[in-house]
Amino acid sequence: MSKENTKQKSGNAFVSALKKSNMTAMAAILIVMIIIASVISPYFLDIYNLQSVLRDLAFIGIIGIAQSLLLLVGELDLSVGKIACLSGILSGMLMVNVGINPWMALIIGLFLGFLFGFINGIIITRLRLNSMVATIGMQGVYGGINLVITKGKAVTGIPADIQFLGKKALGPIPIPFVICIIVLVLVLFMIKKTKTGRYIYAIGNSKEAAKILGIKVDRIRVMIYSVVGLLSALAGLLYVCRLGSAQTAIGEDWPMNSIAASVIGGISLTGGVGNPAGALIGAAVITIIQNIIVLFGVNSYWQSAVSGIVVVLAISFSSISNIVRENRQKRIKLN
Amino acid sequence: MKILEAKKITKMFPGVVALDSVDVAFEPGEIHAIIGENGAGKSTLIKCLTGVYEPEEGIVEIGGENAMKNKSLFDKIAYVPQEIDLFTYMSVAENLFIPYEKSGVKGTVNQKELEKKAIPILKKFSIPVNPGDMVGDISVSSQQLLQIARATVHENYDVLMLDEPTTSLTTRDSKILFEIVEKIKAEGKAIIFISHKLEEIFQLADVITVFRNGKKVAYSNLKDVDTNWIIKQMTGRELDQNEKFYSTQVSDEVLMEVKGLTGERFTNISFSLKKGEILGFSGLVGAGRSELMQAIFGYLPVYKGSVKVDGKDWKLGDTNYSVKHGFIYLPEERKRQGILPVLSIRENISISVLDELKSGINISQKKEEELAQNVIETYDVKTPGSDKKIQFLSGGNQQKVIIGRAMASKPKLLVFDEPTKGIDVGTKTEIYRLMKKLAEEEGLGIIMISSEMEEIIKCSNRVITLYEGKISGEFSEHTEQQDILGAIIGINS
Amino acid sequence: MKKKILAVLLSTVMVTVAAVGCGTKESAPVATAPETSNNGGAAEDMTFVVVPKCVHAWFDEVNKGAQKEADLLSAQLGVEVKIDYRAPESAEVSQQNSTLEQAAATNPTAILLDPVDYDGSADIIAEIQERGVPVILFDAPSPEGSGLTSVGNDFAEQATIAVDMLVEKMGTSGKVAVMQGAPSAPNHAERYQAHLDALAQYPDIEVIDGGIDNDNVETAQSQAAAVLAANPDLTGYLNCDACGSGVAAAIEEKGMQDQVTFVAMDNLIEILDYVKTGTITATSSTLPQQQGMYAVLMAYQAAQGMDLPATVDTGIGRITSENIDEWIKIVSAE
């Protein structure tokens, strides 16, 4: 009798493993959301609407994937939005005010983002600071530099020949989303297939153990901060291309949205657990909720409350199903 | 009269039967020892007896009543966990009484009154601290005793369950603890004593139950049995108590030469290690042994002094350099510093040799799996597969994985820091044999830090003792235990 | 000398009254001449402290206007008139209060204030006034019973003008979406309500919820995109804050520039660029430089002990394709 029980359980092991993974659960919820949305609103599957959702999703997605790398080592960066914005502004000024080749300016902008991230990393590792507090401080610094050089004014007149990066589509798929997917593939390759990726998970499991294993913990942490800076700049620059102007308030919601997207996608806040692909799924959940709320015509005063409720429901899904299962088992046994 | 009784309890986890139809009963005024190898089912039994787990079959009765139906009965079991789980930043008195309802403190919490109530309890347990002291500031021994005191604070407990209570205690404090346990026994409480230390069991307990592979295999009065009987019941085979494990192939070549090393917790340390030698480091908890080794390894800073390996100057302060050049440190704090808990066994093993597993820039999954299987077989790791997360293995099996990982990178110098902490007798012997084999066959230099005198004497070619950060003695093999003990507590022989 | 001062005073007051167009004209400008000018040519220097809500480009414009007026006064009065611009880091009442206290401690001629939350600062303002330092408000209505003079514009009027400009282009029938700004910002809320009120006069215009952007350009864009997707027959769009470039970008992405008449708010350069290309039909602007100028003027008069009007309205600038080049020049000028 007892043996039979065991067998039955191991037979379902695969299913239960899938159930346990937040990422797959979230992907299922995402699909359900898409189905509901397309049944209720005839406009959801409208090609224009899908394109604009994918375009929005690309930005939270890129930042979320970047943020997930830091979450994997148990840290986070709240300055991603300001880095994105400042890189965009500086790059825009190089194009417009200095007049250098826009492609060159984009590359410089990416490099600047990398540099800002590198500075974050050096400060946090050398001075042994808490990443959250340190990056709250640094976002003030980057935001402040932004204000000093722009006085809050946008940089307009971004050359038309690079605006397609934000505005156009490759076939039906908006270019920012294509870039987001390329970023995801590269990050997944690094995280799953290379030595560095393994080291990232090891550091997230235990920084002390990683150091005792001879892993250059601080060097890898600095590298991740730099990559996060680079990806933030990438998202910021794409947004500049999308708007055709470098604005000073870009990225305000990005730090929180990127963390939310990662956590919704099953990445642990304490490090060591999760898959960056989850961040993209989380980003999709957030973006689609915001889209269908408007499509369904929810009163605009209610929007933030409704989207909040949906997010909480979505992340509760997997734990609720666990609770239900436990209760059912209990009832069976007591009878 | 039985106060606590488990009747035919069976507990299953996916793929494993952790407890298989176990009957066990505990009587008031009796000290009942429970012993078994890691993974034998002791922890699961404890969790069933304290109401943390619900067994699939069978019932737990407390005072003759079915506790499955009345969960509040579990309040009568006072459980003291193995690891210290006190609130470090709260006072001794607060820790003692929290949560306040259970300990008879009603309404508002009055700090003065709490401290007043704490005094007699601290006296009873001979804990040399003030009720207002911060728990983080008192010694580990005191914390351990405080934890036991806390379990007995709520008045209506009938059973006191002690899970490896002496792991962090000095010999003197263990003695104090045993006196207290005897006192509690005299009060007519039932005491459950879980320990790997056979010596203590013989000293303290009245009866013993032995577990193996989820089954209860033996029960006896302690005065009717001896050490060999217990080990045989636990492991299912005879172990030679007099087996020695020091290396018989010590080379004349010096592997490591340490000169005048000074760091935060140690001063002016000089010693040398030969190839193929097992060098034991003995001393009290806090004598600076781990700090010394971690400093040589590069994990902690060195203020002064030099280290040579193979006659060449050794770079200090860089763990990456050490590992690359064949120096591996196996930490005492296995959970925090050794394992990568939520990664699989395979990933835990491969992490130190990823360069060798690469094909192109990619890590070859095939090679990785081969390596993992190899380690699992060579070191006899008991696991359903290499995909299992390492945190779900027992302590002994985790240690085997870590040794396998270390050996995969082909080191020439290994430091074992308390290699058998929390590991059962049978597995301990396996680890000793492994060390001996590594030293003899691979010519490794091995340093073993241990607080267990028996294991130091059994395994070491030489023993160096530390006292308050300084070397207080050096002994060759066959030295009498007494002499080493003297050096440990700072008495010059 | 004395005559010259009087002339300046008279002319400035007349300008003010002309700008206001209405308001209280009961002031008696000639009543008290500045006593200080009695001691020969050595008139006292003056310092006006400008305390905005926070660091922001819009307030930099106010400061510019204030500076212009101060230069004018310096030249004409022959004393040094200084503007001391002290912007709190963020728009918080406690920060602003401490800025106010520090400013008052320097014994300035007067303080010009854009209150974050008037009620939260009322006590400190009263205290400062008791010490003989006049306080003039700008960019805010004069709180009832405060007796303070305020220089600003009427946000409801700005919204009504926007509806006028919309109807002018779109006609009196169609489907119009109105996007909210940050509902907790009083001027955004005021504009939103005024939009709805003004549109209510046109029975053939269907008004729909145009989303909410919480003063964030990205949100404005994604919200507008969804609204446009759900309403392919939309003919008009209005918004309430300075995030119109987000809405415009969404309209361009869907290629609905010709179908949707979009009237935005504010004169930020990125918004003006869209007016230039035609995606934004028209926008309107508050006139921060004018607010700065008249606030200094009022402060100067108050320091001379003169009665002041309760409100000075600096008006709204309409920006359309006709005057867009001029506006771009003004706004880009540093």
Side-chain angles (χ1 to χ4, degrees):
Chain A
M1 150 91 199
S2 64
K3 281 221 172 104
E4 248 176 47
N5 257 349
T6 339
K7 208 173 177 185
Q8 200 183 0
K9 271 190 183 148
S10 62
N12 287 336
F14 179 69
V15 180
S16 66
L18 276 184
K19 270 186 189 160
K20 264 181 204 152
S21 157
N22 267 336
M23 191 175 97
T24 28
M26 232 6 99
I29 289 174
L30 183 62
I31 292 167
V32 171
M33 274 171 47
I34 291 173
I35 292 171
I36 293 176
S38 35
V39 169
I40 296 186
S41 170
Y43 301 109
F44 180 77
L45 291 179
D46 177 84
I47 182 81
Y48 164 76
N49 188 54
L50 287 181
Q51 280 186 346
S52 58
V53 167
L54 284 185
R55 211 171 254 135
D56 282 345
L57 158 58
F59 298 97
I60 307 182
I62 292 173
I63 300 284
I65 291 166
Q67 193 73 265
S68 69
L69 288 175
L70 268 179
L71 290 174
L72 280 180
V73 294
E75 297 179 37
L76 45 81
D77 187 342
L78 294 176
S79 67
V80 284
K82 296 291 184 197
I83 289 180
C85 185
L86 184 55
S87 308
I89 291 280
L90 290 172
S91 178
M93 284 184 143
L94 286 176
M95 293 174 206
V96 177
N97 301 2
V98 184
I100 69 172
N101 178 303
W103 289 101
M104 194 62 208
L106 284 184
I107 290 168
I108 294 174
L110 289 177
F111 173 76
L112 286 171
F114 182 87
L115 184 71
F116 297 143
F118 180 76
I119 293 171
N120 281 352
I122 289 289
I123 290 174
I124 289 164
T125 54
R126 288 290 151 82
L127 302 180
R128 298 182 200 161
L129 303 180
N130 171 290
S131 64
M132 188 174 85
V133 181
T135 54
I136 286 178
M138 289 312 288
Q139 66 131 19
V141 174
Y142 299 133
I145 295 174
N146 182 347
L147 275 184
V148 169
I149 57 179
T150 63
K151 304 206 172 61
K153 279 187 183 172
V155 179
T156 55
I158 300 297
D161 43 341
I162 57 160
Q163 290 192 15
F164 78 93
L165 283 175
K167 290 182 169 168
K168 292 287 183 294
L170 195 71
I173 303 170
I175 289 176
F177 188 71
V178 174
I179 293 175
C180 174
I181 293 296
I182 294 172
V183 166
L184 178 66
V185 170
L186 290 176
V187 165
L188 280 182
F189 178 79
M190 178 188 79
I191 209 87
K192 292 289 172 195
K193 297 282 182 188
T194 70
K195 208 167 92 169
T196 313
R198 291 301 181 83
Y199 287 173
I200 288 173
Y201 278 100
I203 294 170
N205 268 264
S206 163
K207 285 196 176 72
E208 292 176 49
K211 196 175 170 199
I212 283 173
L213 281 167
I215 296 171
K216 292 181 174 167
V217 174
D218 284 352
R219 185 178 291 188
I220 288 181
R221 287 167 68 207
V222 171
M223 183 214 79
I224 301 174
Y225 278 102
S226 310
V227 169
V228 170
L230 175 79
L231 292 178
S232 305
L234 175 65
L237 293 170
L238 289 175
Y239 216 98
V240 169
C241 295
R242 184 181 187 188
L243 285 176
S245 60
Q247 300 196 10
T248 55
I250 294 304
E252 276 174 357
D253 294 341
W254 289 4
M256 282 305 144
N257 276 342
S258 61
I259 293 169
S262 301
V263 174
I264 290 173
I267 292 153
S268 152
L269 274 175
T270 50
V273 185
N275 181 333
L280 189 61
I281 293 175
V285 170
I286 293 175
T287 319
I288 291 179
I289 289 171
Q290 280 164 2
N291 180 256
I292 58 185
I293 278 177
V294 183
L295 289 186
F296 289 3
V298 173
N299 179 305
S300 49
Y301 289 112
W302 273 98
Q303 276 192 23
S304 101
V306 172
S307 69
I309 291 168
V310 177
V311 167
V312 172
L313 280 182
I315 57 171
S316 315
F317 176 78
S318 52
S319 57
I320 287 176
S321 63
N322 275 344
I323 295 170
V324 168
R325 198 171 44 235
E326 272 168 33
N327 280 343
R328 200 173 45 218
Q329 270 180 1
K330 206 186 220 167
R331 235 178 298 124
I332 290 169
K333 203 164 56 196
L334 287 181
N335 287 338
Chain B
M1 191 202 95
K2 286 156 190 164
I3 179 67
L4 171 64
E5 187 170 12
K7 287 185 173 170
K8 296 242 173 281
I9 57 174
T10 299
K11 176 72 196 171
M12 283 173 303
F13 296 106
V16 190
V17 183
L19 281 181
D20 192 355
S21 192
V22 167
D23 283 306
V24 58
F26 304 93
E27 295 188 24
E30 187 177 80
I31 301 178
H32 191 145
I34 303 245
I35 196 164
E37 296 191 273
N38 296 96
K42 285 173 307 183
S43 318
T44 315
L45 176 71
I46 292 168
K47 287 188 171 140
C48 288
L49 291 179
T50 49
V52 176
Y53 288 161
E54 276 187 45
E56 266 81 34
E57 285 160 39
I59 55 164
V60 175
E61 281 185 1
I62 296 172
E65 266 186 80
N66 186 348
M68 308 280 83
K69 297 228 168 90
N70 181 1
K71 295 265 176 185
S72 63
L73 285 173
F74 284 113
D75 286 347
K76 292 195 179 294
I77 317 282
Y79 172 60
V80 183
Q82 181 178 355
E83 269 134 42
I84 290 172
D85 65 346
L86 297 167
F87 300 99
T88 326
Y89 294 105
M90 290 172 88
S91 75
V92 168
E94 284 169 315
N95 266 284
L96 211 44
F97 295 111
I98 215 162
Y100 304 108
E101 306 81 46
K102 267 196 175 173
S103 39
V105 180
K106 295 263 152 46
T108 54
V109 176
N110 180 331
Q111 189 69 27
K112 280 226 175 92
E113 199 191 309
L114 279 187
E115 293 185 4
K116 225 189 318 178
K117 284 180 77 171
I119 291 170
I121 298 167
L122 293 177
K123 209 169 253 166
K124 179 177 169 190
F125 284 84
S126 315
I127 309 174
V129 298
N130 294 317
D133 288 350
M134 198 75 89
V135 162
D137 298 337
I138 69 177
S139 73
V140 179
S141 272
S142 301
Q143 290 181 6
Q144 186 88 36
L145 291 174
L146 180 64
Q147 185 155 270
I148 295 164
R150 180 178 68 173
T152 64
V153 159
H154 65 109
E155 292 106 2
N156 55 354
Y157 76 100
D158 286 328
V159 181
L160 176 65
M161 195 182 284
L162 300 170
D163 192 354
E164 301 258 14
T166 60
T167 35
S168 318
L169 292 188
T170 60
T171 323
R172 188 189 69 91
D173 289 327
S174 296
K175 219 179 217 168
I176 295 173
L177 172 68
F178 291 167
E179 282 165 16
I180 296 162
V181 172
E182 293 285 359
K183 249 189 256 173
I184 294 172
K185 173 185 162 185
E187 287 170 14
K189 312 281 185 195
I191 290 156
I192 304 176
F193 183 69
I194 296 144
S195 177
H196 285 311
K197 299 186 183 169
L198 300 184
E199 206 183 317
E200 291 178 354
I201 288 176
F202 278 106
Q203 203 178 328
L204 193 65
D206 302 311
V207 295
I208 183 165
T209 300
V210 186
F211 280 83
R212 190 168 79 225
N213 293 335
K215 293 191 177 98
K216 174 180 160 184
V217 290
Y219 168 83
S220 172
N221 259 324
L222 268 166
K223 48 181 191 292
D224 302 334
V225 298
D226 62 4
T227 313
N228 284 333
W229 178 85
I230 295 180
I231 291 175
K232 196 181 162 196
Q233 296 300 333
M234 271 173 67
T235 58
R237 58 186 188 270
E238 305 258 3
L239 275 184
D240 178 4
Q241 280 296 289
N242 297 317
E243 192 180 349
K244 296 282 187 257
F245 303 96
Y246 43 76
S247 166
T248 56
Q249 309 279 331
V250 181
S251 143
D252 289 336
E253 253 179 280
V254 172
L255 177 62
M256 180 166 72
E257 179 88 49
V258 175
K259 268 199 186 136
L261 216 60
T262 300
E264 198 191 329
R265 301 285 292 276
F266 53 88
T267 318
N268 198 19
I269 303 281
S270 300
F271 67 91
S272 67
L273 173 71
K274 290 182 181 135
K275 287 186 179 169
E277 182 184 36
I278 302 177
L279 174 61
F281 265 81
S282 185
L284 298 173
V285 175
R289 297 165 302 170
S290 300
E291 290 81 357
L292 170 63
M293 290 309 154
Q294 290 180 357
I296 298 173
F297 176 63
Y299 187 73
L300 292 179
V302 168
Y303 300 160
K304 222 177 93 189
S306 69
V307 176
K308 278 187 178 169
V309 175
D310 283 335
K312 284 178 212 135
D313 277 331
W314 186 254
K315 188 178 162 195
L316 293 166
D318 184 349
T319 56
N320 183 266
Y321 174 89
S322 299
V323 171
K324 256 196 195 142
H325 292 79
F327 179 176
I328 293 198
Y329 170 74
L330 301 171
E332 173 185 5
E333 300 279 347
R334 205 163 37 228
K335 277 195 183 145
R336 207 154 46 83
Q337 302 186 323
I339 61 168
L340 304 169
V342 293
L343 293 187
S344 67
I345 295 171
R346 174 164 33 81
E347 288 165 318
N348 263 280
I349 293 170
S350 64
I351 191 84
S352 62
V353 285
L354 289 174
D355 277 325
E356 291 161 36
L357 302 175
K358 278 202 294 199
S359 58
I361 185 172
N362 232 332
I363 295 162
S364 156
Q365 288 196 336
K366 204 176 131 233
K367 285 188 200 166
E368 195 184 2
E369 183 58 32
E370 276 170 15
L371 170 74
Q373 285 307 332
N374 190 2
V375 167
I376 290 172
E377 276 165 37
T378 315
Y379 298 94
D380 191 25
V381 180
K382 292 189 185 82
T383 169
S386 66
D387 276 334
K388 201 174 168 84
K389 284 184 185 166
I390 196 167
Q391 60 179 345
F392 298 126
L393 293 184
S394 66
N397 282 314
Q398 287 179 358
Q399 188 71 311
K400 288 181 194 167
V401 171
I402 290 176
I403 294 174
R405 165 169 82 195
M407 291 316 296
S409 61
K410 303 193 181 61
K412 54 189 177 191
L413 174 57
L414 270 182
V415 174
F416 285 90
D417 197 346
E418 301 283 3
T420 62
K421 191 180 183 187
I423 289 174
D424 61 75
V425 186
T427 315
K428 269 182 185 172
T429 309
E430 283 178 52
I431 287 174
Y432 301 151
R433 285 196 188 128
L434 203 61
M435 285 199 298
K436 179 179 163 77
K437 194 172 138 204
L438 295 175
E440 289 177 352
E441 291 177 14
E442 317 265 340
L444 259 67
I446 293 180
I447 290 175
M448 180 177 78
I449 300 173
S450 175
S451 299
E452 278 189 49
M453 191 48 62
E454 208 191 319
E455 114 182 343
I456 283 277
I457 288 179
K458 271 186 181 176
C459 301
S460 311
N461 291 86
R462 275 184 305 142
V463 179
I464 290 175
T465 55
L466 285 192
Y467 178 70
E468 290 189 343
K470 293 188 181 124
I471 290 183
S472 61
E474 185 176 335
F475 306 88
S476 59
E477 50 202 79
H478 314 305
T479 305
E480 282 302 310
Q481 195 160 330
Q482 289 308 344
D483 298 339
I484 300 179
L485 273 174
I488 286 175
I489 56 173
I491 302 166
N492 288 326
S493 49
Chain C
M1 179 75 195
K2 206 170 174 182
K3 257 187 188 168
K4 203 172 177 187
I5 295 170
L6 269 177
V8 171
L9 275 179
L10 274 173
S11 58
T12 44
V13 167
M14 275 161 66
V15 169
T16 317
V17 169
V20 172
C22 55
T24 11
K25 292 171 193 166
E26 312 310 326
S27 49
V30 219
T32 31
E35 287 149 37
T36 43
S37 50
N38 284 345
N39 14 335
E44 261 182 61
D45 292 346
M46 287 185 278
T47 306
F48 298 105
V49 182
V50 178
V51 181
K53 281 198 177 92
C54 61
V55 181
H56 193 280
W58 193 87
F59 293 113
D60 290 349
E61 295 299 312
V62 174
N63 186 25
K64 266 186 220 163
Q67 201 66 55
K68 266 189 200 167
E69 186 67 25
D71 292 346
L72 187 70
L73 286 175
S74 299
Q76 301 206 331
L77 298 177
V79 298
E80 198 185 347
V81 180
K82 276 193 296 189
I83 299 295
D84 180 3
Y85 181 72
R86 297 176 176 230
E89 252 173 67
S90 59
E92 276 170 41
V93 73
S94 58
Q95 267 198 39
Q96 195 175 42
N97 281 347
S98 51
T99 309
L100 272 178
E101 279 169 352
Q102 289 158 12
T106 65
N107 265 325
T109 317
I111 294 178
L112 284 51
L113 170 70
D114 181 358
V116 174
D117 172 5
Y118 173 77
D119 291 331
S121 304
D123 289 347
I124 291 178
I125 293 172
E127 212 175 282
I128 294 172
Q129 281 184 310
E130 266 167 38
R131 293 173 51 181
V133 179
V135 175
I136 305 291
L137 303 184
F138 65 95
D139 184 39
S142 173
E144 238 163 86
S146 69
L148 291 169
T149 291
S150 96
V151 178
N153 52 258
D154 185 345
F155 291 113
E157 188 198 342
Q158 191 180 12
T160 314
I161 290 173
V163 172
D164 288 347
M165 296 196 285
L166 175 80
V167 173
E168 208 172 288
K169 170 89 186 294
M170 184 189 81
T172 54
S173 67
K175 187 175 187 183
V176 175
V178 185
M179 179 180 282
Q180 293 203 58
S184 50
N187 53 345
H188 296 180
E190 209 177 310
R191 285 169 180 166
Y192 183 66
Q193 197 49 50
H195 275 323
L196 298 185
D197 292 347
L199 285 168
Q201 296 166 11
Y202 303 98
D204 293 334
I205 292 180
E206 183 194 350
V207 180
I208 63 162
D209 201 327
I212 184 164
D213 67 19
N214 286 310
D215 213 0
N216 181 320
V217 182
E218 298 158 54
T219 318
Q221 177 161 13
S222 48
Q223 294 262 320
V227 169
L228 292 172
N231 300 282
D233 55 342
L234 199 73
T235 59
Y237 221 127
L238 294 170
N239 78 331
C240 301
D241 56 19
C243 298
S245 55
V247 178
I251 293 175
E252 278 189 3
E253 267 172 23
K254 200 173 182 193
M256 285 173 80
Q257 297 97 307
D258 297 335
Q259 184 191 327
V260 176
T261 306
F262 173 34
V263 177
M265 287 278 165
D266 275 327
N267 62 344
L268 297 181
I269 183 71
E270 63 268 24
I271 294 172
L272 297 185
D273 274 7
Y274 278 112
V275 177
K276 177 91 179 154
T277 61
T279 306
I280 296 180
T281 307
T283 184
S284 57
S285 170
T286 57
L287 302 169
Q289 290 211 10
Q290 269 81 343
Q291 290 198 16
M293 285 163 63
Y294 286 106
V296 170
L297 195 58
M298 287 300 114
Y300 171 67
Q301 294 200 350
Q304 309 310 321
M306 305 184 104
D307 285 340
L308 301 179
T311 44
V312 177
D313 189 337
T314 51
I316 302 290
R318 298 174 185 228
I319 307 170
T320 61
S321 55
E322 281 154 30
N323 58 1
I324 182 65
D325 291 331
E326 215 172 295
W327 271 98
I328 288 182
K329 214 179 285 166
I330 294 170
V331 171
S332 345
E334 277 298 307

